[in-house]
Amino acid sequence: MTRNMRYIIWFTVFLCYSCEKKSDWSTNTDNHPKLVVQALLTNEYRIQDLRLSLSTNELNQAPTPVEDASVTVSTANNSFQFTHAAGGRYLSTVPFSVSRGIPHQLTIDWNGVDYLALSTDTTVAPMPPIEFAPIQSDSTLLRINETIPLYSAFEQSMYQFDIDWRQLTGDSAAIARIYDYTFSDYHINEILPPPKQVVRFPIGTPVIVRKYGLNDAYAHFLMSVLIATEWNGNVFYSSPSSPPSNISNGGLGFFAVSRVLTDTLIAQ
Amino acid sequence: MRLIVTIILFLFTFCLNAQVQRITVKEQKVTISKLLKRISKQANVEFSYNSKLIDKKKSVSFNIENSSLDQVLTLLANTINVNYEQFEDLIILTRKETETLGSKPPVLKSPKKITISGTLTDQSNGESLINAIVAVKGTSKGVFTNAFGFYSLPLTVGTHTLIFNYIGYDQQEQEITIKENQAISRALAPSQIDLPAVTVGLPVREILNNKLRGVNALSAADLNNFPEFGGESSLTKGLQSLPGMKMHSDGSSAYYSRGGERDQNLILIDDAPIYNPSHLFGFYSIVIPDFTKSITVYQDDMPAALGDQLSSIISIRTKDGNLNKLSLGGSVNPFMARFSLELPIVKQRSSLFFTFRRSSLGFYSFANAQNFRYQFHDFHLKWNLKISKKNRVYFTMLQIADLFENKSIGINRLNWGNFAAALRWNYIISPKLFTNTTIYTGTYAFHLNLPGNLWKSELGNLSFKSDFTHYVNDKMTSKFGFENQGYFILPGETSRDSSLAFLPKITPDYSGKSVLYYQTEYQLNEQWSINAGLRCISWKNNGPETYFEYDDSYQIEDTITVAKGLYNSFNNVDPRISVNYSWNGTNQFKLSYGRYHQYLQILSNTVSPFSFFEIWQPANTTIKPQVSSHYVLSYLKLLKEKAYEVNTTAYYKRSQNIIDYAPNSILLDNTAIEGTLRQGNADAYGLEMGIKKNTGKLTGSVSYNYARVFRKTEGLNNDQVYRALQDRPHELSIVANYDLTKRIQVSSYWTSFSGATFSSPTSYFEYNNQTIPMFDELNNDRLPFYHRMDLSLKFQLQKKRDNAFKHSLMLSVYNVIGHKNTYAVKFNKLEKDFQNPPVTGNVLSMEQQMATEIDMIRFFPSLTYKFKLND
């Protein structure tokens, strides 16, 4: 059988097989909006920030920021006030860093309800070598090489890659943020995940890498987020569930404190 | 290894063959009794005769040397003045007619109960016929042959006309005069014309009983007629066409029986369990129709001898192999090739049956897909030997394997497979007592090789079972026996390169099960009969083991290490009873109740159709055995000369300790996996209605089912009732086979059913610039209706139907209407207009996300060439 013939057979087979198309599926999402907390405080001595918003009923719907909450982060010895800046973003009134091994409590007073959350940081393992890989179709472009281990029994980490090549191209949209993770568990959805959007950037792009150490609760939250999003739709997908939250009184999202490492690279 | 086994079997049976070649008897004065014994011993045959017609003490002279059995029997007939008739290894002696003329028949003082027994076989190949009928003409008295072709029919002394009947075979009648227990075996010839499945004069009540019990619900012929997927008939596709059985979706071998879970179905091949019946992620079934003799599907009123699964038991009996002549067959299509060989080792006494099937998908690998490889194969072997008229042994072995590689996505190798073997010994203790003793094993292993990483899940059992059937009298038949099973279970273990990481050690589990059972079928009168049984089960967990105890919030509160030996057990008695009422010979009601326990389950929170990623776990100190009570009312009516069957079944099932999972559970490599489980209740009810046409040019069935399944599990769905994944209220199924000409048959299958339930988002929130869906209600949404029509055209290539060499072409189209059958809806893909839209990589991109529907097969044709020699 010639190679062409084999191509034709395969092509025919794949035409008949799996097909994923856009759908106008409507969901029953007539829910009362809930408070969403997005708070990751670190051991960097700086103005810490967090975001408050409301949940939405539609996909792609911009969340409504919560601007009138009273926010405090406290430990046994200190208390830090946060004030609203803009768009639901709250900034600490003074710079501070999270204290090692000490529980931090977030208190949000909004609409007469107190939302509480507790979090304690954990260590962060050393930054591994970060690699870039060339794009096959264009040798002037690179991507982040997937060398971050999915699993480690010794650490749980979140990597944040901030990639900015606006100065190289003049394109105001030439900016990207990518997350990657290492967990001490692995979920069935991790195996053969669905294809992921590839971020391509030119050689010479500055990349800031931040590595956060994750405590067990925050790692579980982030893994649940991935199960519902990035890993959802793999070959062995599980029934999705809502990510857990450590916010009391029905709040969504998560409050975490973390130790962080930062590195700045030039993509080569 | 296979070769060695084959050679041993060959040698063994050839040795036996050598022993029965020639006969020598030299006696000047010998009693007929001793003479018959000597011939019997040398020829390995048995004689049957009426001792009142032949004087056993009479002495005769008999001289013959190195002669065949025929020569010996001819001399014997002349010497002692009898006629003889041979049926396999049974020689029946009757007085010559000339001798009986004018003689008076013996005077009988009173009718005496005797039993006739024997086996029914296929004349062409010696296969024992399962569920064939032996009936007394003009009465409603009749019995079925058992799984080994044996029957036992109580009668009174006197003259009777016996009917020997089996679907697809010429019916035989024989008038016999019997005065004592007698062995009568018959070989039936395959019919060249289609006969009604039920004919006048047969024991209709028993036929109705069997139909309501699921006997022959699906035959190998049904599977062969079924429109094929990818050129191959499939057991699971056939099962999914039965009322009460629901498929998961395209590409899945999972099926659900009357609202049960997919792991609540047991598939037995010659008593050995098959834990995963699928190839190619579920597209193909491991059971090769050519290897299959009968399929019995129990969805209720499950026999006490089988278990323990809550929803269905599929008992498959394989062919023995041609005892008369070499036979071979096979098929070829673009996706796979299959070959089978039936080899008589000792004519009429021993044969071998091999089947080998291999996918040809690897053939299509080409230059830019060098990292991709997929293949599967099956090897089936059956050997049987008739040691004597009362003893027969069978050996069945199945080895099934799949291999998948795609290094470009990080899968070095993914392989899974089943191995099953059963050694069975039939022994007829007396005409009324039949026993079958089986040693069997079944194993399943799943290995996933990622770079530096091997994940494996394994399960195996070794079992011994002894089963007795006592044909007490013409009103009562009892089955009883015992079984001991030992299980080895590795519920998912990962080993990695130690330089990369360290993973928790998952310890294997050793469990055992002991079973005692008794079941009796009693006919109260012409209308009423009752079938009742008890299954007493003792499930044992054995150490060494380390396990956890959990508090009310499923957190570990204690770690317990136990030494070798028993550390936990469950003892249960599962009753079952059914009452049958029949009238007019064409109507039957059945009301049944059964309570069943299940001790072994799959732990898997995946809802994907590709569902082979499985962890098996036994009941233990934390996982309670699943339990279910079935209440079923069935009605069956035969119409129009019994060519049509109308069947209606209503059922209600109440199940407890059904397994579900905490949200976002981690099941892989979880030493505390029990902490992620949530056990709750399930209620299933439904109504199944169907009509089936068995004869004529057009055969087939139409069925409609209404079925619901609801679950309630503490800690899930806010403690509210939720629909199960398999809750699909409406289902319509149509099967039609039409003989266009003598050589062309068209088959079609239509199915429509409500889509599966799934959880769709109830709200969204934003975190780290990502949109996160929330799922506040379990299974709150439903996939679209599923519609599919399959078509096949079978063209017989040889002109004469009874040619020794038969071959045909089959053109099949799966989902000929090209309907988009959605199996999943996702809400996390970026709006891209190409085949596989990606998930978000750059969280700062402003690209919109969209909902997507995923379907699998819209139109799939295949062309298969099949052949058979000496079928």
Side-chain angles (χ1 to χ4, degrees), chain B residues 159-219:
Chain B
T159 301
H160 304 276
T161 300
L162 296 183
I163 298 171
F164 302 92
N165 176 281
Y166 191 60
I167 299 167
Y169 287 75
D170 290 338
Q171 180 170 299
Q172 287 188 16
E173 291 187 15
Q174 183 192 4
E175 185 176 293
I176 57 163
T177 300
I178 49 171
K179 292 168 185 170
E180 60 185 16
N181 292 344
Q182 193 170 325
I184 300 178
S185 295
R186 279 287 177 276
L188 304 184
S191 173
Q192 296 304 316
I193 56 167
D194 288 332
L195 292 172
V198 182
T199 54
V200 176
L202 297 180
V204 177
R205 187 184 55 242
E206 280 71 17
I207 293 168
L208 293 169
N209 271 346
N210 263 359
K211 283 181 181 295
L212 282 179
R213 206 175 288 155
V215 174
N216 279 338
L218 195 65
S219 66

Side-chain angles (χ1 to χ4, degrees), chain A residues 10 16-21 23 25 31 56 60 151 153 177 186 192 195 197 218 229 232 235-237 242, chain B residues 364 366 409 494 502-503 606-608 762 764 775 826 828-829 839 841-842 847 849 851-853 855-856 859:
Chain A
W10 266 115
C16 301
Y17 271 74
S18 182
C19 181
E20 183 169 13
K21 292 286 182 189
S23 166
W25 198 273
N31 282 318
T56 63
N60 300 316
Y151 175 88
R177 175 172 290 173
Y186 64 87
L192 299 179
Q197 180 187 29
Y218 192 39
T229 56
N232 188 1
V235 176
F236 314 110
Y237 63 92
S242 298
Chain B
Y364 300 107
F366 42 81
I409 57 171
T494 302
F502 171 78
L503 280 164
T606 171
V607 289
S608 158
T762 48
Y764 302 88
F775 303 90
K826 300 295 169 191
N828 59 334
K829 300 297 175 66
V839 295
N842 175 11
E847 290 177 86
Q849 290 186 321
T852 55
E853 289 182 50
D855 67 291
M856 201 169 301
F859 183 87

Side-chain angles (χ1 to χ4, degrees), chain B residues 559-575:
Chain B
T559 303
I560 296 166
T561 299
V562 291
K564 190 175 180 181
L566 176 70
Y567 71 89
N568 182 56
S569 67
F570 299 99
N571 298 297
N572 290 298
V573 176
D574 289 350

